[in-house]
Amino acid sequence: MNAVAEETRHRVPPRTGKAVRLKAGQSIRIINTHGHQVVDTWAFNAHDLTEFLSMEHMRAAIDRVIPRPGDKLVTNHRRPILTLVEDTSPGIHDTLIAACDIYRYQGLGVETYHDNCQDNLKAGLAELGLTPPETPSPFNLWMNIPFVNGEIGWEKPVSKPGDYVVLRAEMDCIVAMSACPQDIICINDGAPTEAHYEVF
């Protein structure tokens, strides 16, 4: 990948969340550093957090369940907020599954607190002094949820170390990411780890 003068690499530590402000026209490269990590991803209008990237609106806009390079990802106001510019992975991502939360882990038999993507979203935005109005359904990068004959499955990512996606901001926005801490089922290959991102 080409170096860009303004580009710096940042870490999303395992099981945690981070958020970053993007101006319209800037891009973010989200990197699956070790190849098997799901990154729940959200985007909010920087000037109105009640407008956000919406999976249900996006699927109607692109006529697909999984975006492809060139697709514009739209908000709950049906306006483009991000464009998927590049994807070096096999393109298997998820737009169906809600962010994990404490209730998900309780349902899986966890009796104590478990790190989760909903709380990671709140923590990432809190670092910017912001509070999400709700937890939208995320764009689950590299999450492998096959949908066959009306049923879904839970599988390991098919990405490889260093795979990345590039998302370009179509409006001033805040992109939030969670290095998903799911370690009960196999979606992170049983070993949640870090991810990285670069803004340019």
Side-chain angles (χ1 to χ4, degrees):
M1 70 185 65
N2 294 327
V4 178
E6 300 87 357
E7 185 176 278
T8 55
R9 179 169 291 202
H10 303 275
R11 183 172 183 252
V12 184
R15 311 171 74 95
T16 69
K18 292 291 181 182
V20 61
R21 296 180 184 272
L22 296 184
K23 292 289 189 182
Q26 285 188 302
S27 295
I28 184 168
R29 178 183 291 117
I30 303 175
I31 305 160
N32 197 341
T33 311
H34 302 285
H36 62 264
Q37 179 61 46
V38 170
V39 179
D40 289 37
T41 305
W42 299 265
F44 295 83
N45 180 339
H47 308 293
D48 177 7
L49 296 187
T50 66
E51 182 178 13
F52 45 77
L53 175 62
S54 168
M55 295 298 96
E56 55 266 41
H57 293 84
M58 182 197 72
R59 291 190 295 266
I62 65 175
D63 292 322
R64 279 190 288 276
V65 173
I66 302 176
R68 300 173 187 167
D71 283 343
K72 293 190 181 301
L73 316 185
V74 305
T75 70
N76 55 323
H77 295 181
R78 301 185 190 273
R79 300 196 301 159
I81 188 169
L82 298 171
T83 296
L84 178 56
V85 176
E86 187 177 1
D87 184 357
T88 67
S89 77
I92 300 300
H93 310 286
D94 169 68
T95 69
L96 300 175
I97 304 300
C100 61
D101 51 34
I102 58 172
Y103 311 108
R104 170 65 166 152
Y105 291 105
Q106 288 172 1
L108 291 171
V110 178
E111 297 181 354
T112 58
Y113 179 79
H114 194 289
D115 298 321
N116 62 84
C117 289
Q118 182 178 76
D119 288 350
N120 289 348
L121 168 63
K122 294 176 182 177
L125 288 180
E127 290 183 354
L128 301 181
L130 301 170
T131 301
E134 60 182 277
T135 303
S137 188
F139 182 18
N140 294 311
L141 294 174
W142 303 295
M143 190 171 178
N144 183 8
I145 305 294
F147 180 74
V148 180
N149 296 327
E151 297 183 357
I152 64 170
W154 305 85
E155 302 292 343
K156 301 174 184 178
V158 295
S159 46
K160 63 184 183 299
D163 275 344
Y164 63 85
V165 300
V166 174
L167 300 166
R168 183 179 67 238
E170 300 300 332
M171 64 172 72
D172 295 349
C173 64
I174 296 154
V175 172
M177 298 153 282
S178 171
C180 179
Q182 176 60 263
D183 54 6
I184 310 299
I185 61 175
C186 69
I187 61 165
N188 293 306
D189 199 14
T193 186
E194 65 187 349
H196 289 84
Y197 68 93
E198 300 163 344
V199 175
F200 56 96

